[in-house]
Amino acid sequence: MKLWRLPVEPVHLFGLVRSHAEWASVRQATISANIANADTPGFKAKDIEPFAAALDKTRLTMAATRPGHIGVEATALGTSEAGKAESWDITHSGNSVSMDQELAKAAEVQRVYSLDTSIARSFHRMFLTSVRTSG
């Protein structure tokens, strides 16, 4: 008797979650450096490129696996400028670090870590459930 097996294909979601967590780690280090230099005269606050912008450069496209699938062109999706951070004032010492802004960024990084952890945990449970019920 021949057993039917599901074709093994890579699950790209875990790679995406890993990349998102690595991005958040770099951003957290950048925010920490900004906070550490909050009293340094002339220090300019830094930030890294948003994850969505980095992801857009990968040129991933949706694949139609069945004739009835509707294709969406990348150009039809459009872009938004809503995520751009506003520039904050520079103090008389020439320092551009705003503690309020840096703490808001740190809270955003915490939300990213929580999201990544939740996604990985959910898919891990799904895989375990599928393995347990397939035997």
Side-chain angles (χ1 to χ4, degrees):
M1 181 166 103
K2 187 174 182 179
L3 294 176
W4 179 83
R5 293 195 178 253
L6 185 65
V8 178
E9 295 181 17
V11 178
H12 299 289
L13 182 71
F14 291 119
L16 182 63
V17 169
R18 185 191 73 243
S19 296
H20 199 218
E22 288 172 359
W23 172 86
S25 178
V26 171
R27 187 158 195 228
Q28 183 176 2
T30 304
I31 293 166
S32 298
N34 288 345
I35 292 172
N37 288 293
D39 291 333
T40 305
F43 182 80
K44 305 293 184 219
K46 297 174 183 79
D47 203 350
I48 63 172
E49 180 179 43
F51 185 73
L55 190 60
D56 285 344
K57 291 178 184 175
T58 63
R59 302 282 184 208
L60 294 176
T61 59
M62 294 194 305
T65 56
R66 303 224 191 286
H69 285 176
I70 299 173
V72 177
E73 295 296 322
T75 57
L77 296 176
T79 58
S80 172
E81 296 293 319
K84 277 195 167 182
E86 296 178 11
S87 61
W88 293 49
D89 294 334
I90 297 176
T91 61
H92 65 279
S93 67
N95 188 314
S96 68
V97 176
S98 167
M99 291 302 282
D100 292 337
Q101 186 180 25
E102 298 307 316
L103 292 175
K105 290 178 193 176
E108 181 185 345
V109 169
Q110 175 60 37
R111 286 189 300 275
V112 166
Y113 281 131
S114 295
L115 175 67
D116 291 342
T117 302
S118 296
I119 291 170
R121 185 181 306 123
S122 295
F123 274 83
H124 182 255
R125 274 187 290 210
M126 181 185 71
F127 282 139
L128 288 179
T129 300
S130 66
V131 168
R132 288 180 188 144
T133 59
S134 66

